[in-house]
């Protein structure tokens, strides 16, 4: 009997994410930010449905209330999983950004193609000390973003990407 190595199943281009790179996770505090956004939206919709139900007593408002609650719970679970799916990896010549659960997306942005890098943070993000790094290229479809970074990491990444982009662009 010959001893052979166990055969490995074929790997798809996106299944799983490339494991040849070291993926950096984003902050779990993004879950809190996204859940707060969801809660604010649900509060408005549920208040309107509750008021309509209280004033009219019609069953459709109660059914709508229940449906919105169920969809809100489903969305909350999806937010937790979606935040854990985000990641980025810095390679020698490009930046990889992954996200998505049902539809997985892997963006590869060459440093030489970057035009500029933005760092932004809205009120909720600032309250949780988070920022988003947005990469802009000549092709709008290739723009990538990395949300849920601590401001220090966002600044470091912005500065590194900008420096690498300038170095790579000079060689063109």
């Amino acid at each position: 009997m010959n001893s052979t190595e166990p055969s490995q199943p074929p790997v798809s281009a996106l299944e799983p994410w490339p494991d040849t790179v070291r993926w950096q996770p984003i902050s779990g505090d993004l879950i809190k930010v996204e859940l707060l956004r969801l809660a604010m939206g649900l509060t408005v919709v549920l208040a309107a449905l509750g008021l309509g139900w209280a004033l009219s007593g019609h069953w459709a408002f109660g059914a709508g209330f229940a449906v919105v609650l169920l969809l809100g719970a489903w969305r909350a679970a999806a937010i937790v999983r979606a935040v854990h799916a985000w990641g980025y990896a810095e390679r020698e010549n490009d930046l990889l950004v992954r996200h998505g659960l049902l539809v997985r997306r892997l963006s590869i942005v060459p440093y030489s193609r970057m035009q500029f890098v933005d760092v932004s943070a809205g009120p909720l993000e600032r309250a949780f000390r988070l920022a988003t790094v947005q990469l802009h290229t000549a092709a709008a479809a290739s723009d990538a973003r990395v949300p849920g970074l601590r401001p220090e990491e966002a600044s470091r990444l912005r500065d590194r990407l900008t420096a690498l982009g300038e170095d790579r662009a000079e060689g063109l």
Side-chain angles (χ1 to χ4, degrees):
M1 197 167 192
N2 293 340
S3 79
T4 60
E5 293 182 30
S7 64
Q8 297 291 327
V11 177
S12 155
L14 290 177
E15 188 69 41
W17 301 112
D19 56 0
T20 57
V21 295
R22 189 169 150 257
W23 290 104
Q24 299 294 321
I26 61 173
S27 174
D29 284 345
L30 186 61
I31 293 170
K32 296 173 189 172
V33 170
E34 294 299 325
L35 288 177
L36 276 172
R37 283 188 182 133
L38 176 65
M40 289 187 284
L42 285 176
T43 299
V44 171
V45 173
L46 291 173
L49 286 170
L51 184 63
W53 194 13
L55 294 176
S56 72
H58 196 273
W59 66 270
F61 285 106
F65 195 91
V67 167
V68 169
L69 276 177
L70 286 173
L71 289 174
W74 174 82
R75 180 65 187 134
I79 284 171
V80 172
R81 293 195 57 218
V83 167
H84 289 298
W86 275 97
Y88 67 98
E90 300 171 63
R91 296 196 303 185
E92 185 177 339
N93 295 313
D94 50 30
L95 179 78
L96 280 64
V97 180
R98 70 175 188 189
H99 64 94
L101 294 170
L102 187 58
V103 176
R104 292 183 174 188
R105 182 173 179 139
L106 175 63
S107 298
I108 302 172
V109 183
Y111 299 134
S112 63
R113 301 291 183 192
M114 283 189 274
Q115 291 185 326
F116 64 98
V117 181
D118 277 338
V119 175
S120 62
L124 276 177
E125 288 89 357
R126 285 193 310 270
F128 286 90
R129 294 193 60 249
L130 296 176
T132 297
V133 172
Q134 177 81 40
L135 305 145
H136 298 276
T137 62
S142 66
D143 289 357
R145 69 185 186 98
V146 182
L149 298 176
R150 295 288 174 214
E152 303 80 26
E153 174 62 8
S155 293
R156 184 205 65 81
L157 186 59
R158 178 202 58 214
D159 293 345
R160 182 168 190 275
L161 295 176
T162 301
L164 286 168
E166 289 171 357
D167 288 348
R168 301 301 193 277
E170 286 175 5
L172 294 178

